[in-house]
Amino acid sequence: MAYSAKDYSGLIGMEGFSETLLNNHFTLYQGYVTNTNKLLDSLAAMLKEGKVATPEYAELKRRLGFEFNGMRLHEYYFENLGGNGTLDKSGKLGKKLAEEFGSYENWERDFRATATMRGIGWTILYQDNIPGRLINQWINEHESGHLAGCTPLLVLDVFEHAFMIDYGLKRADYIETFFNNIKWSVVEARLR
Ligand SMILES: [Fe+2]
């Protein structure tokens, strides 16, 4: 069954994000969905044709991590946007962040520091499904650095395409805008 691109046009009008930037971003996301489908189809065809012990097969397999995560991370990202940025600090997630990081502010400091690291990729607040622990993690591009057995709770795109049209090189200003638009109810619903 092929993946289909979800419609995030409801995010247009979000404060701090221009329509041009968002439309470009949606187009990029749709490209990841298309390429994920193409890759999975090609790999399945190669398996059928007995062409698995080939360099082409190996390269396509490696590529899947890039395209699939490029698709899925954008879905987490767009879905945790469109809110008013207000987290109820006495709620389940607010309490858990404070408990794990010493205070909510400490968590936010660590998340922002992770997001302003040099390079392109993603910043993810993960929950480790085994002990339930929370960890802020940097992902290089789309596929390097994921923590096995962890669920993404809050996902921030820090590829330049996510902000340059509106913010130039001012990544910290974009991160501020991101925080102002987080839909915390979605993030909290991902917490177990
Ligand atoms: Fe992106």
Side-chain angles (χ1 to χ4, degrees):
M1 202 178 65
Y3 290 101
S4 34
K6 297 179 183 177
D7 177 10
Y8 296 112
S9 59
L11 292 177
I12 290 171
M14 235 185 344
E15 209 178 307
F17 290 91
S18 69
E19 190 170 343
T20 306
L21 181 140
L22 286 173
N23 280 328
N24 278 318
H25 211 166
F26 300 150
T27 304
L28 279 169
Y29 156 63
Q30 287 152 11
Y32 287 109
V33 178
T34 304
N35 284 356
T36 297
N37 287 327
K38 271 190 198 159
L39 270 181
L40 288 171
D41 286 350
S42 301
L43 287 164
M46 290 176 95
L47 177 63
K48 234 183 213 168
E49 294 157 12
K51 290 181 183 163
V52 290
T54 61
E56 290 77 12
Y57 184 82
E59 286 311 305
L60 291 184
K61 271 282 177 191
R62 285 184 210 283
R63 188 76 188 164
L64 185 60
F66 181 84
E67 301 292 354
F68 182 94
N69 285 302
M71 167 181 76
R72 183 57 47 78
L73 289 174
H74 277 105
E75 292 170 351
Y76 277 112
Y77 170 72
F78 290 132
E79 283 161 27
N80 61 217
L81 279 173
N84 63 8
T86 308
L87 171 70
D88 173 10
K89 290 182 185 157
S90 61
K92 192 174 149 200
L93 178 60
K95 278 187 183 159
K96 177 91 177 152
L97 286 169
E99 192 185 297
E100 297 264 335
F101 288 86
S103 65
Y104 166 85
E105 289 69 25
N106 257 349
W107 165 76
E108 191 178 312
R109 200 171 300 130
D110 186 65
F111 188 88
R112 285 181 191 248
T114 309
T116 44
M117 282 166 51
R118 288 173 65 77
I120 49 166
W122 299 81
T123 297
I124 301 181
L125 164 64
Y126 268 119
Q127 181 171 38
D128 182 348
N129 293 327
I130 299 166
R133 183 176 176 170
L134 303 182
I135 302 168
N136 290 324
Q137 173 69 335
W138 170 265
I139 307 302
N140 239 22
E141 300 216 3
H142 300 307
E143 76 277 42
S144 306
H146 289 288
L147 304 176
C150 296
T151 301
L153 303 181
L154 178 67
V155 173
L156 166 59
D157 189 340
V158 282
F159 272 71
E160 281 146 0
H161 66 244
F163 61 91
M164 274 201 99
I165 293 174
D166 292 345
Y167 293 93
L169 293 173
K170 293 178 180 159
R171 195 198 286 204
D173 291 358
Y174 156 66
I175 294 167
E176 189 63 35
T177 297
F178 171 80
F179 265 89
N180 292 336
N181 287 284
I182 295 175
K183 201 181 224 173
W184 281 108
S185 57
V186 167
V187 181
E188 193 163 63
R190 291 172 183 164
L191 183 75
R192 72 169 176 89

